[in-house]
């Protein structure tokens, strides 16, 4: 099912990207020098589709990094809780081992005498069954 859904998304996306690349093949100059517009020192000439795809990829990468840094608090809390759970499991295992080695004698309750506070056990003042 997963492969089918991946193919259902990837194949149309690839076709759209290929169509976009064929339709936008002309070259553009990207300048990184804001002071010299006529003869920029830092510029590169690339096809338009490549510029747009690179900018989109950089945006996805920047967004992923921002989310990853934003979730560091939750990852730290998860590691701390995992360490606490491991320590608690270890303590429980130690306590169970101690309980298994030191089996106490079973304590028995005294046998009922047959007469309770109000008369025979299991009945109230009006002798109704409890």
């Amino acid at each position: 099912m997963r492969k089918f859904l991946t193919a259902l998304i990837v194949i149309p996306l690839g076709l759209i990207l290929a169509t976009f690349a064929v339709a936008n093949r002309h070259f553009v100059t990207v300048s990184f020098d804001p002071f010299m517009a006529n003869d920029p020192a830092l510029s590169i000439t690339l096809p338009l589709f490549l510029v747009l795809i690179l900018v989109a990829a950089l945006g996805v990468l920047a967004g992923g990094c921002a989310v990853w840094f934003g979730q560091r608090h939750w990852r730290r809390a998860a590691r701390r809780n995992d360490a606490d759970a491991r320590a608690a499991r270890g303590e429980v295992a130690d306590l169970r081992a101690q309980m298994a080695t030191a089996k106490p004698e079973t304590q028995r309750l005294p046998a009922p005498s047959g007469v309770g506070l109000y008369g025979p056990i299991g009945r109230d003042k009006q002798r109704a069954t409890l």
Side-chain angles (χ1 to χ4, degrees):
M1 186 69 172
R2 178 183 247 174
K3 288 183 180 183
F4 175 72
L5 291 176
T6 301
L8 189 68
I9 293 171
V10 170
I11 291 173
L13 188 62
L15 289 173
I16 291 171
L17 217 78
T19 306
F20 178 75
V22 169
N24 295 294
R25 289 180 303 193
H26 58 279
F27 286 88
V28 292
T29 302
V30 179
S31 174
F32 298 103
D33 189 1
F35 301 110
M36 296 181 66
N38 296 337
D39 188 27
L42 296 171
S43 67
I44 189 167
T45 303
L46 296 169
L48 178 61
F49 75 91
L50 189 60
V51 172
L52 293 177
I53 290 173
L54 287 175
V55 168
L58 286 174
V60 168
L61 184 66
C65 289
V67 168
W68 187 75
F69 281 119
Q71 292 175 347
R72 69 183 181 275
H73 169 61
W74 302 111
R75 286 191 306 275
R76 185 180 303 131
R79 281 193 304 269
R80 190 178 314 121
N81 290 339
D82 188 43
D84 290 345
R86 280 192 201 136
R89 282 189 209 110
E91 288 179 21
V92 166
D94 291 343
L95 290 173
R96 284 184 179 160
Q98 288 175 0
M99 292 299 291
T101 59
K103 277 195 165 188
E105 293 181 22
T106 56
Q107 296 179 353
R108 296 181 179 246
L109 296 175
S113 63
V115 177
L117 185 61
Y118 299 112
I121 292 180
R123 307 236 177 227
D124 64 359
K125 284 183 181 180
Q126 288 78 25
R127 301 192 49 80
T129 305
L130 296 177

